[in-house]
Amino acid sequence: MPHDTPLIATIVAGLGLAFVFGALANRFRIPPLVGYLVAGVLVGPNTPGFVADASLANELAEIGVILLMFGVGLHFSLKDLLSVRAIAVPGAIVQIGFATLLGIGLAWMLGWSMGAGVVFGLALSVASTVVLLRALQERRLIETERGRIAVGWLIVEDLAMVLALVLLPALAGVLGGQEQADVHSSGLLSLPASYGIWGVVGITLAKVAAFVVVMLVVGRRVIPWILHYVAHTGSRELFRLSVLAIALGVAFGAAKLFGVSLALGAFFAGMIMSESELSHRAAEESLPLRDAFSVLFFVSVGMLFDPLSLISNGLPILATLAIIVIGKSLAAFVIVVAFGYPLATALMISASLAQIGEFSFILAELGVGLKLLPEQGRDLILAGAILSIVLNPLMFLVIDWMKPWLEARAARTAAPAETKPVGPATEPGQVASVASTFQKEDGPPPKTTLTGHAILIGYGRVGGLVGTALKEAALPFLVIEDADKTLAKLKADNIETVAGNAANAEVFAAANPEGARRLILAIPNAFEAGQIVLRARAANPNINVVARAHSDAEVEHLKGLGADTVIMGEREIARGIVEEVLGNHAGQKPVRDAMAEGAGAAPIALQS
Ligand code: AMP
C-alpha cells in the first residue's frame, strides 16, 4: 500500500532520532537538547539521507510551544503576573531596544539597509519560549520570584513581537522594503498595510485587549464550568481531552480571531484554569504530551540549520552570537541590578534570556518575504539560534560556578540589605519571598549542626503529620522541603529546615546524613526517593530508611535500592477503610492481621 505519510514519517523520525541522540548526549554528560538539535540537522535538508517535512515539523513544534505556555499559565495567577510588571515591562523594552541597536550596528557593518538592521536586531532581541521554560523547569525555578520575573519578561517580549509582526508589513515601504507588501508569511497576524501605522498599532492593541477581556469575563466562567462538568462524568479520558481541547482551542482561537500569538493565548488559557482547584490535575494531564512536542521544537530548529554556513559565514555568525549571548545578557543584567535585585537574580535572568528561537525565525521569514532582510540575515539568525541554544545550559553552569563568589558577596552586603528592601517590592510578603528564594538557591545551604537526628523529606499531607508526631515525641529532626509556601509554614512553627530539592546532592548533604539516625522519605515520587536512598546509603550505611510508595512496583524499587521499610499509601488507606467498615464486626481481626504481615500479604480484594 504505497501511500504517502509525511506527518507520520516526520513524527517518527523526529522523536526516534531525538531519543537516540538525546540518550547519547546524556551518556556523554551533554544536555539532551544538543542531541535533539543534532537529530534535527540529520533529518534536515542540508544533510544527506532522509529529509523530514520542515513545515510539518515546525507546526508540531508550535504545539509544543502551546502546551509549554499553557503549563506555565497553570502555575501563574494574574496577581503573579502583575507583581512582576514593574521590572518585566521596562526590562524587556530596554533589552529589546539595546539588542536591536546592536543588530542595526552589525547590519551596518555588513553593508545592509536600515530596514534589514531593524528586522535583524528585533529578531536577535527576543528569547525562545521553549528554551527559557525548559531551563526554568529543569531547575525548578518557575514558581520562584526570579522565575516569575523571567516569565513576565518573556510575555512582554511576546507582546512586542506580536506588534512587530503586524507593523513590519505596514512599515516595509518606509524601511526600504517592498511597499504595500502582500505577504502572508504570518497569515495569522498580518493586517492590510493600508490602515497606516497608527491604525495598525491601534487595531492590534485593541484586539489584544479584546482577547484579554473575553478571557477574563467569558473564559473565567466557561472554562471552570466545563472542567467541573467533565470531572463529574468521572471519565479520565474525557478530562484529559477537555484539558487538551481547551489549551489548543483557546491558543488557536486567540491567534485566528484576535491576532494574539499562540503562546500568549495558551498562557491565558492556563492562567484561567489555574483558578479552579482542578488545575493540578489539569497540569499533570498535559505533561507527557508537552515534553514530546517540545522535543520536536529542537528537532525542527536543527532541520533549518546548514552546518556549512559555519564556514562560509564564520565571522558574522560569531558577531551575531556575541550580540545574543553577551550583549543581551549585559543589558538584562544591568537593568535587573539597577532595579535593586540581588546579583544572583540578575545573572539567572540574563542567562535564561541569552538565546533566540521561534519568534526570531518568524521575523526573519517575514523580513526576507518583505525584501527587507537579505538571505544572509536569515542564515545568521538561524546559526545564532542554534549556537545560543547549545550554549544556554553552559550559561547556567557558569552561574553555578560563580555561586560561591556571589554568596560571599551577598554575605558581605547582607547587613545593609536587611534594612533596605530587596528589590522594588512594596508588600512585605513580596520582600520576604525575594529574600527567601535568594537564600534558597544561592550557594549550598549551610550544614545543620544536628546529629543523631531524623531527616524528614517532604512536609505535605504525609510529612506534615509525621513531623507533628516527631515534634510531640520530642525527637530531634529537620525537614527538607522545596515548596516556598510550606517552608514559610515550617519556619513559623520553628522547625529546622533545609530548603531545596532533596534529590540535589548539596541540599541533601546540608542535612548531615552521615550523622543522622533515620531518613524518612515522605515524598510521592518514588524515582526521586530512590535517588535519595542511594545517596543516603553511600553517606551512612547504618542510617534507617523509611520510605513512602504508591504501588507494589515502587515498594520493590525502593527496597532494592536499600530502603529498610516501605509503606505503601494505598494499602494504608485500605486498612483504614476496612477498619471503618468491619470495625464493629467480630470478623475484623483476621483481615487486619493478614494486612499487618507486610508487603504482598494483603488480601487479594484489597490489592488495587
Ligand atoms: P504530599 O504528597 O501532600 O505529602 O506532599 C509532598 C511534599 O513533598 C510537598 O510539600 C512537596 O513540596 C515536597 N517534595 C516533593 N518532592 C520533593 C523533593 N524532591 N525535595 C523536597 N521536597 C519535595
Side-chain angles (χ1 to χ4, degrees):
M1 36 160 217
H3 68 255
D4 204 19
T5 52
L7 179 63
I8 298 179
T10 303
I11 294 181
V12 173
L15 289 181
L17 280 178
F19 163 62
V20 172
F21 284 91
L24 264 181
N26 194 36
R27 181 80 189 70
F28 292 105
R29 296 178 181 274
I30 307 171
L33 66 87
V34 177
Y36 309 153
L37 289 169
V38 172
V41 175
L42 287 183
V43 294
N46 298 308
T47 47
F50 171 78
V51 175
D53 187 321
S55 66
L56 282 180
N58 247 329
E59 277 191 44
L60 292 170
E62 282 283 354
I63 298 186
V65 175
I66 293 178
L67 294 177
L68 265 170
M69 277 305 261
F70 174 68
V72 175
L74 278 173
H75 293 295
F76 247 74
S77 68
L78 202 57
K79 210 175 101 231
D80 290 334
L81 191 59
L82 292 178
S83 76
V84 297
R85 71 179 183 281
I87 169 88
V89 175
I93 291 176
V94 172
Q95 197 199 21
I96 291 176
F98 185 68
T100 307
L101 280 182
L102 289 178
I104 293 177
L106 180 58
W108 177 76
M109 286 200 275
L110 293 170
W112 300 347
S113 72
M114 180 69 187
V118 172
V119 179
F120 185 62
L122 278 176
L124 299 188
S125 71
V126 50
S128 157
T129 313
V130 183
V131 179
L132 182 135
L133 295 183
R134 283 182 57 117
L136 295 184
Q137 268 159 4
E138 252 165 47
R139 293 168 184 80
R140 290 170 158 257
L141 285 171
I142 292 257
E143 284 171 77
T144 63
E145 173 83 8
R146 56 184 72 175
R148 280 195 284 271
I149 296 177
V151 172
W153 195 300
L154 185 81
I155 286 168
V156 179
E157 281 191 357
D158 223 54
L159 276 173
M161 288 307 129
V162 169
L163 265 183
L165 288 180
V166 293
L167 275 179
L168 274 182
L171 285 173
V174 188
L175 288 170
Q178 199 176 55
E179 193 128 20
Q180 292 293 317
D182 187 23
V183 178
H184 294 290
S185 62
S186 121
L188 296 181
L189 298 167
S190 54
L191 278 175
S194 55
Y195 289 150
I197 294 165
W198 293 115
V200 173
V201 174
I203 293 175
T204 308
L205 289 182
K207 281 176 155 185
V208 172
F211 169 70
V212 174
V213 170
V214 168
M215 283 310 279
L216 291 185
V217 176
V218 184
R220 224 174 183 169
R221 276 173 210 162
V222 175
I223 294 178
W225 181 83
I226 299 178
L227 280 185
H228 279 265
Y229 172 80
V230 178
H232 280 148
T233 63
S235 160
R236 192 182 297 175
E237 180 178 289
L238 269 184
F239 188 77
R240 286 194 181 142
L241 191 59
S242 71
V243 171
L244 204 57
I246 292 173
L248 294 176
V250 171
F252 192 69
K256 273 279 177 214
L257 303 176
F258 297 98
V260 179
S261 68
L262 290 166
L264 216 58
F267 175 79
F268 262 87
M271 209 163 78
I272 300 279
M273 263 194 211
S274 78
E275 293 189 358
S276 141
E277 74 264 30
L278 289 167
S279 74
H280 284 286
R281 240 178 102 186
E284 275 157 32
E285 308 289 324
S286 65
L287 282 182
L289 267 180
R290 183 183 79 186
D291 293 348
F293 281 105
S294 69
V295 165
L296 285 177
F297 164 78
F298 293 103
V299 176
S300 76
V301 174
M303 286 180 66
L304 300 170
F305 183 61
D306 181 3
L308 288 182
S309 73
L310 283 181
I311 301 164
S312 58
N313 259 333
L315 269 184
I317 287 181
L318 270 187
T320 310
L321 187 64
I323 295 179
I324 302 170
V325 176
I326 303 171
K328 268 172 69 170
S329 303
L330 268 182
F333 181 81
V334 170
I335 301 160
V336 180
V337 170
F339 269 83
Y341 284 91
L343 285 183
T345 303
L347 280 176
M348 198 289 290
I349 291 175
S350 310
S352 58
L353 295 165
Q355 35 82 12
I356 60 170
E358 60 274 18
F359 252 123
S360 316
F361 306 146
I362 300 177
L363 266 178
E365 276 310 316
L366 182 66
V368 171
L370 290 166
K371 301 220 165 14
L372 274 173
L373 187 70
E375 303 251 335
Q376 190 198 6
R378 184 176 52 192
D379 294 344
L380 291 187
I381 289 170
L382 274 177
I386 283 253
L387 295 176
S388 67
I389 291 175
V390 170
L391 285 180
N392 199 248
L394 273 183
M395 301 276 292
F396 280 94
L397 278 186
V398 171
I399 298 187
D400 285 343
W401 176 71
M402 289 173 76
K403 262 184 186 169
W405 177 77
L406 282 173
E407 221 198 13
R409 250 194 84 105
R412 248 183 285 135
T413 50
E418 261 165 21
T419 45
K420 194 178 94 191
V422 186
T426 44
E427 290 168 39
Q430 262 182 318
V431 177
S433 91
V434 174
S436 78
T437 42
F438 182 55
Q439 188 197 22
K440 177 172 151 189
E441 285 128 21
D442 301 329
K447 192 162 177 159
T448 179
T449 52
L450 285 179
T451 51
H453 57 299
I455 303 174
L456 173 58
I457 300 185
Y459 204 74
R461 291 161 302 177
V462 175
L465 295 174
V466 176
T468 314
L470 290 177
K471 206 173 168 190
E472 274 167 14
L475 291 171
F477 73 104
L478 63 77
V479 177
I480 307 186
E481 176 52 75
D482 70 350
D484 276 337
K485 272 194 200 123
T486 316
L487 281 168
K489 201 176 104 211
L490 281 159
K491 203 158 276 173
D493 291 350
N494 258 333
I495 296 174
E496 179 168 348
T497 55
V498 176
N501 183 348
N504 176 306
E506 283 176 348
V507 171
F508 188 63
N512 187 18
E514 300 83 9
R517 188 185 302 266
R518 219 184 253 286
L519 171 68
I520 305 170
L521 286 151
I523 56 174
N525 184 324
F527 286 105
E528 267 182 358
Q531 287 300 321
I532 301 169
V533 173
L534 278 179
R535 200 159 273 153
R537 276 269 165 264
N540 178 352
N542 297 325
I543 196 167
N544 177 273
V545 180
V546 183
R548 157 184 176 185
H550 295 282
S551 69
D552 289 335
E554 288 181 357
V555 174
E556 291 290 304
H557 174 70
L558 289 168
K559 285 212 160 153
L561 292 178
D564 298 294
T565 317
V566 184
I567 310 285
M568 212 260 260
E570 278 63 16
R571 185 172 295 140
E572 298 307 313
I573 298 176
R575 191 201 297 271
I577 293 177
V578 170
E579 247 166 50
E580 179 62 33
V581 175
L582 301 182
N584 300 328
H585 290 66
Q588 62 167 311
K589 221 160 176 287
V591 180
R592 259 220 215 136
D593 289 348
M595 285 197 300
E597 273 167 33
I604 308 269
L606 293 169
Q607 280 277 336
S608 66

